[in-house]
């Protein structure tokens, strides 16, 4: 299979750029594939396969705790781990070969960023090396590809040692063998995309065009400091622009790799991995505006699984898929292309679970004495395991160090008011960490809480309730700074009002986690800008004219997640170390209990 990838500068001369719910396509049930047909082919049909996944987030090790299984269609299946992902990719490719199909392996962003320590300690070079190993060929960027900024993303693509830390594993970093696409990430100076906007692959001599986008709202959910010289353009306009370019080049079978998505509705049993039950989300309206040449949208960002067919701008069906997250699923898309017209003739898509467990013979899965699912040694890919083990061994002395203990599971599942027990603990940890700077209040963004703390997780053989550094890092993997600044009571109230979509530029509702002593109520029915009431600190009403010392991470302090009001703070003081240091210090103070999740209340 051949490919044609034009540099961003070269393709730029070809042109420049200036959720409604969907009914269920099937009742809940696992492995119900979505299928579309585009009329009787005018010529011979070329058969191909796309294997896609998204939101891998450096999940080299099999997910653990509550994330160890895929819950779908009324069943729970242990899944994930890069050596199992590699095995399933090989298996699905072999099945395609037997059907005389050529395979393209693609990603839909967030392969890196928000990663566990085994990847993050080496600036996500291990994940890229493993993506090379498993045969990834092309991927869109996602918002988390920008966690360390544009310059670092370009290094990740092109290779070279890290400018500050060098090549920590002793080997030169050679970059990604696959192509990152970034059609709507535009350099403010050149007006061109920072990476290629598209790539052309050939299936039995017939071209298939891949366009790659992150969500337009990326700027609001990454650290502003790393993206000062780029902006992100509209998904529909950008995709259609490059679709027209590809069509003029004779490429009429087109795939959009889109880091934006949707979600199935709740149901009992849980909808299957390949269902489209009560589907809704931003991707629905995006697809409504797409050119019909874009027959497949491999999406991501929401960490949900689905396989849908949604109407495009012409009213015809576009297949829209997502493989959940953390390498626990692979989307298997079979397609035919009319050799005469060059367009998709038929498309079928389903999600396949990357099983890693040992069946117990009774429809379930074997567990060890502590209740952890056993891993199947017979389905491990040796090449992927060799690479992964190199980094596991290197990081183990740090990752397996016990840093503290918890009394039981501390989860990030939020109440109706948007508060979680783990969010409470992290806010309390940051308040304690900055008490020496006079901090009175701490606020934590919920999107920065990436995993639960599971009391029975034993990454390094530690006892029940003990927490290792690696486990804590998985909860807070961003290495954000911890800063304290002065806000007036009126400014603090404004920050909390900005939690709600539509107010002062906020694009989605995000309830900040709050430290002990801060309490308030919010009303969903109140007018924007007037939703917060009863705001108090240790039982005393917040005085709009008084000054308060407020701690956040620097992502929030710089206006991240749409909290531009936090940039109004003054007298910023930066604590030593990072947010992970605040958490580990707090865990070391004693056996930490789950937060009460009763500091924020809500009324209709």
């Amino acid at each position: 299979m051949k490919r044609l990838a034009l540099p961003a500068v070269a393709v730029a001369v070809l042109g420049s750029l200036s959720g409604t719910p969907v009914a269920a396509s099937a009742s809940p049930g696992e492995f119900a594939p979505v299928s579309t047909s585009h009329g009787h082919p005018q010529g011979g049909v070329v058969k191909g396969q796309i294997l896609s996944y998204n939101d891998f987030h450096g999940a080299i090790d099999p997910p653990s705790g509550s994330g160890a299984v895929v819950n779908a269609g009324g069943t729970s299946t242990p899944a994930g781990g890069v050596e199992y992902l590699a095995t399933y990719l090989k298996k699905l490719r072999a099945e395609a070969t037997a059907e005389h199909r050529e395979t393209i392996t693609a990603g839909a962003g967030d392969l890196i960023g928000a990663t566990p320590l085994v990847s993050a300690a080496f600036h996500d070079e291990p994940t890229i090396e493993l993506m090379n190993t498993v045969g990834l060929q092309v991927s869109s960027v996602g918002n988390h590809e920008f966690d360390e900024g544009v310059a670092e993303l370009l290094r990740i693509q092109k290779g070279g040692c890290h400018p500050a830390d060098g090549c920590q594993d002793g080997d030169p970093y050679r970059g990604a063998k696959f192509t990152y696409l970034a059609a709507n990430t535009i350099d403010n100076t050149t007006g061109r995309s920072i990476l290629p906007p598209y790539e052309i692959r050939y299936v039995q001599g017939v071209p298939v065009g891949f366009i790659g986008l992150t969500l337009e709202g990326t700027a609001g959910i990454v650290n502003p400091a790393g993206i000062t010289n780029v902006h992100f353009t509209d998904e529909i306009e950008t995709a259609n622009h490059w679709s027209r370019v590809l069509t003029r080049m004779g490429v009429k079978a087109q795939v959009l790799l889109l880091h934006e998505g949707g979600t199935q509705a709740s149901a009992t049993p849980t909808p299957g991995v390949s269902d489209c039950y009560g589907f809704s989300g931003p991707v629905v309206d995006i697809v409504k505006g797409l050119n019909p040449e874009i027959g497949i949208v491999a999406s991501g960002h929401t960490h949900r699984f689905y396989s849908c067919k949604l109407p495009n701008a012409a009213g015809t069906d576009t297949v829209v898929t997502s493989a959940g997250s953390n390498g626990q699923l692979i989307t298997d898309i079979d397609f035919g292309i009319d050799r005469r017209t060059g367009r998709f003739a038929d498309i079928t898509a389903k999600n396949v679970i990357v099983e890693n467990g040992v069946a117990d013979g009774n429809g379930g899965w074997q567990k060890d004495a502590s209740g952890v699912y056993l891993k199947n040694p017979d389905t491990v890919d040796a090449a992927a395991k060799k690479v992964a083990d190199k980094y596991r061994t290197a990081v183990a002395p740090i990752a397996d160090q016990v840093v503290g203990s918890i009394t039981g599971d501390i989860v990030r599942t939020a109440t109706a008011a948007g508060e979680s027990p783990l969010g409470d603990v992290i806010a309390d940890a940051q308040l304690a960490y900055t008490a020496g700077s006079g901090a009175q209040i701490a606020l934590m963004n919920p999107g920065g809480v990436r995993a639960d703390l599971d009391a029975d997780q034993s990454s390094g053989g530690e006892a029940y309730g003990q927490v290792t550094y690696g486990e804590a890092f998985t909860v807070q993997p961003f290495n954000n700074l911890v800063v304290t600044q002065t806000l007036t009571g009126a400014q603090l109230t404004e920050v909390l009002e900005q939690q709600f979509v539509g107010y002062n530029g906020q694009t989605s509702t995000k309830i900040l986690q709050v430290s002990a002593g801060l309490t308030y109520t919010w009303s969903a029915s109140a007018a924007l800008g007037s939703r917060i009431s009863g705001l108090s600190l240790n039982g005393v009403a917040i005085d709009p004219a008084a000054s308060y010392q407020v701690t956040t991470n620097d992502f929030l302090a710089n206006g991240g997640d749409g909290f531009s009001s936090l940039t109004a703070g003054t007298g910023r003081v930066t604590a030593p170390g990072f947010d992970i240091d605040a958490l580990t210090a707090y865990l070391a103070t004693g056996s930490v209990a789950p937060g009460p999740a009763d500091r924020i209340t809500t009324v209709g």
Side-chain angles (χ1 to χ4, degrees):
M1 189 179 303
K2 300 178 181 178
R3 69 170 184 168
L4 172 63
L6 298 181
V9 172
V11 297
V13 300
L14 296 174
S16 59
L17 293 174
S18 351
T20 306
V22 175
S25 64
S27 59
E30 199 170 355
F31 302 124
V34 64
S35 180
T36 65
S37 177
H38 298 279
H40 187 74
Q42 299 179 29
V45 175
V46 171
K47 296 195 296 183
Q49 177 194 56
I50 297 171
L51 299 178
S52 68
Y53 52 91
N54 51 276
D55 297 276
F56 183 71
H57 289 293
I60 293 170
D61 296 327
S64 58
S66 59
V69 296
V70 173
N71 294 306
T75 62
S76 297
T77 306
V82 72
E83 51 264 79
Y84 298 98
L85 176 67
T87 294
Y88 270 80
L89 287 169
K90 288 181 177 179
K91 175 178 179 289
L92 293 170
R93 289 178 190 131
E95 291 174 358
T97 298
E99 297 176 358
H100 306 290
R101 296 182 183 273
E102 292 190 20
T103 302
I104 302 167
T105 306
D110 277 10
L111 304 176
I112 59 174
T115 53
L117 189 63
V118 67
S119 182
F122 305 96
H123 298 282
D124 283 333
E125 292 171 15
T127 295
I128 299 300
E129 186 174 345
L130 281 159
M131 293 302 95
N132 294 342
T133 300
V134 304
L136 184 65
Q137 294 167 289
V138 61
S139 178
S140 70
V141 296
N143 55 288
H144 281 289
E145 264 77 18
F146 295 93
D147 280 354
E148 293 193 41
V150 171
E152 174 64 359
L153 172 58
L154 296 178
R155 184 189 74 86
I156 286 292
Q157 174 71 84
K158 299 174 183 178
C161 295
H162 189 272
D165 295 331
C167 287
Q168 295 169 283
D169 64 350
D171 298 327
Y173 173 63
R174 304 187 189 282
K177 293 180 181 178
F178 61 92
T179 305
Y180 263 127
L181 304 179
N184 66 334
T185 306
I186 307 302
D187 187 293
N188 294 338
T189 302
T190 67
R192 299 164 179 164
S193 60
I194 62 168
L195 289 164
Y198 68 81
E199 179 164 288
I200 301 171
R201 294 255 164 189
Y202 287 87
V203 177
Q204 298 178 36
V206 178
V208 180
F210 289 80
I211 303 165
L213 305 174
T214 185
L215 68 155
E216 183 184 7
T218 293
I221 53 177
V222 302
N223 197 319
I227 56 169
T228 55
N229 195 43
V230 298
H231 65 278
F232 301 90
T233 57
D234 179 82
E235 299 97 337
I236 297 173
E237 291 179 6
T238 307
N240 284 342
H241 170 78
W242 292 110
S243 171
R244 291 189 295 270
V245 169
L246 287 168
T247 300
R248 292 199 298 269
M249 297 172 65
V251 183
K252 299 176 183 178
Q254 300 171 10
V255 180
L256 178 61
L257 305 176
L258 173 66
H259 194 71
E260 178 62 290
T263 185
Q264 298 189 65
S266 299
T268 303
T270 306
V273 294
S274 298
D275 286 344
C276 188
Y277 185 81
F279 188 75
S280 63
V283 73
V284 176
D285 288 333
I286 291 173
V287 173
K288 281 181 182 178
L290 293 180
N291 294 342
E293 287 79 8
I294 300 174
I296 299 169
V297 176
S299 67
H301 188 56
T302 58
H303 291 201
R304 299 294 189 265
F305 46 71
Y306 46 84
S307 182
C308 300
K309 51 183 178 182
L310 304 178
N312 54 42
T316 56
D317 288 332
T318 291
V319 170
V320 181
T321 67
S322 175
S325 64
N326 294 328
Q328 293 183 301
L329 294 162
I330 299 167
T331 304
D332 182 359
I333 305 170
D334 289 342
F335 62 86
I337 300 176
D338 186 330
R339 188 178 288 276
R340 179 172 295 179
T341 66
R343 299 177 185 274
F344 286 119
D346 57 83
I347 303 166
T348 301
K350 66 179 181 181
N351 282 320
V352 177
I353 299 177
V354 178
E355 297 176 2
N356 63 26
V358 179
D360 63 8
N362 298 308
W365 303 91
Q366 294 183 29
K367 298 180 181 180
D368 65 16
S370 62
V372 177
Y373 289 99
L374 297 179
K375 302 299 182 290
N376 189 346
D378 297 332
T379 54
V380 167
D381 180 81
K385 184 177 187 300
K386 181 179 180 180
V387 176
D389 282 351
K390 176 179 72 171
Y391 292 105
R392 289 167 178 154
T393 300
V395 81
I398 301 172
D400 294 343
Q401 181 181 353
V402 173
V403 295
S405 62
I406 54 179
T407 62
D409 293 347
I410 307 180
V411 301
R412 54 182 176 149
T413 304
T415 66
E419 182 182 1
S420 74
L422 186 51
D424 285 355
V425 168
I426 292 173
D428 290 347
Q430 293 188 6
L431 179 61
Y433 194 66
T434 54
S437 300
Q440 300 165 276
I441 297 164
L443 306 174
M444 175 64 195
N445 55 307
V449 186
R450 304 301 299 187
D452 299 336
L453 280 175
D454 296 303
D456 61 358
Q457 184 172 350
S458 183
S459 303
E462 70 276 9
Y464 177 89
Q466 290 187 322
V467 179
T468 66
Y469 183 84
E471 292 162 0
F473 190 91
T474 300
V475 173
Q476 286 203 279
F478 294 109
N479 272 341
N480 288 319
L481 300 173
V482 181
V483 302
T484 304
Q485 56 185 340
T486 302
L487 295 175
T488 66
Q491 289 172 326
L492 175 62
T493 301
E494 182 71 3
V495 169
L496 297 177
E497 294 287 1
Q498 204 173 19
Q499 296 175 118
F500 304 100
V501 62
Y503 183 71
N504 198 13
Q506 184 57 268
T507 58
S508 63
T509 296
K510 305 176 184 74
I511 303 300
L512 297 171
Q513 308 300 287
V514 301
S515 56
L518 190 71
T519 56
Y520 70 91
T521 298
W522 61 268
S523 170
S525 61
L528 288 173
S530 302
R531 294 192 170 180
I532 304 300
S533 63
L535 182 59
S536 301
L537 181 61
N538 299 320
V540 179
I542 292 290
D543 181 351
S547 294
Y548 298 88
Q549 296 298 302
V550 180
T551 293
T552 66
N553 57 49
D554 66 325
F555 167 72
L556 279 176
N558 291 335
D561 268 352
F563 287 97
S564 57
S565 297
L566 278 169
T567 63
T570 59
R572 182 186 296 196
V573 175
T574 301
F578 301 99
D579 51 1
I580 179 61
D581 299 310
L583 179 58
T584 56
Y586 192 70
L587 292 170
T589 61
S591 195
V592 176
D598 62 359
R599 300 164 186 175
I600 306 171
T601 56
T602 185
V603 296

